[in-house]
Amino acid sequence: GHRLSLVLGVMTAPGATRNRDNLRALSHRPHAHGVRTVFVLGDVDCARRPTAAEHIAHRDFVFVNASDCQTWHRAAKVDAWYRHALARWPSAHWIGKSEDDALVRVSALARDLAALDATQPWYYGIMAWIGLCDSEAAAYTQQHRRPPA
């Protein structure tokens, strides 16, 4: 086989079936342009159980060593994705991360990355971060909680 240019992990949640279906219909080609695209879920029962049939049908999930059932587990899941990807695809030129509500033009991304030196560290994209400790997270959640419908 050929060497992978990029392994792209698309962060998703167990209940985000519509987002995954939309990406598959629009652009998600697991091996297009030397890119391996996978949906990333935590390797826990609350993520595996509701996605079991979809996993069998599409075989485009990766389950990583992180919880996936509470909002504040996202950063740990991203870290687990990078650790998993580096171990599973050690010869890939690039390891990437996206979200299931973003549309990535894989051909354009692969072309852009091909022009860069993969032996050097790069950041490609927009970085947004919110870091909260447990007490701040609880206060933020309380403050931004939506009233019941």
Side-chain angles (χ1 to χ4, degrees):
H2 68 285
R3 184 173 180 188
L4 285 172
S5 169
L6 166 68
V7 179
L8 182 62
V10 180
M11 301 296 119
T12 191
T17 308
R18 180 176 289 179
N19 287 1
R20 292 188 298 272
D21 287 345
N22 287 339
L23 284 176
R24 287 184 189 109
L26 294 171
S27 68
H28 184 76
R29 304 288 182 265
H31 297 284
H33 306 283
V35 178
R36 174 74 169 116
T37 305
V38 294
F39 291 107
V40 180
L41 288 163
D43 191 6
V44 288
D45 191 51
C46 62
R48 279 189 175 270
R49 189 176 47 244
T51 60
E54 186 181 357
H55 177 53
I56 291 168
H58 297 283
R59 293 289 179 198
D60 57 1
F61 285 146
V62 168
F63 295 93
V64 299
N65 186 21
S67 184
D68 208 4
C69 305
Q70 294 180 11
T71 301
W72 303 108
H73 292 155
R74 289 184 190 134
K77 187 166 84 171
V78 171
D79 178 69
W81 156 246
Y82 283 115
R83 292 174 186 273
H84 177 90
L86 288 167
R88 184 165 174 184
W89 295 284
S91 65
H93 290 133
W94 305 97
I95 303 293
K97 175 241 178 225
S98 183
E99 300 287 335
D100 66 4
D101 60 355
L103 181 60
V104 176
R105 290 185 53 210
V106 173
S107 61
L109 177 58
R111 184 186 63 240
D112 287 355
L113 292 176
L116 301 175
D117 180 354
T119 66
Q120 298 299 311
W122 294 92
Y123 181 86
Y124 182 103
I126 299 170
M127 182 176 286
W129 177 261
I130 183 169
L132 303 173
C133 69
D134 289 342
S135 61
E136 290 170 322
Y140 181 89
T141 302
Q142 191 67 13
Q143 191 175 28
H144 294 87
R145 181 170 294 163
R146 292 185 180 147

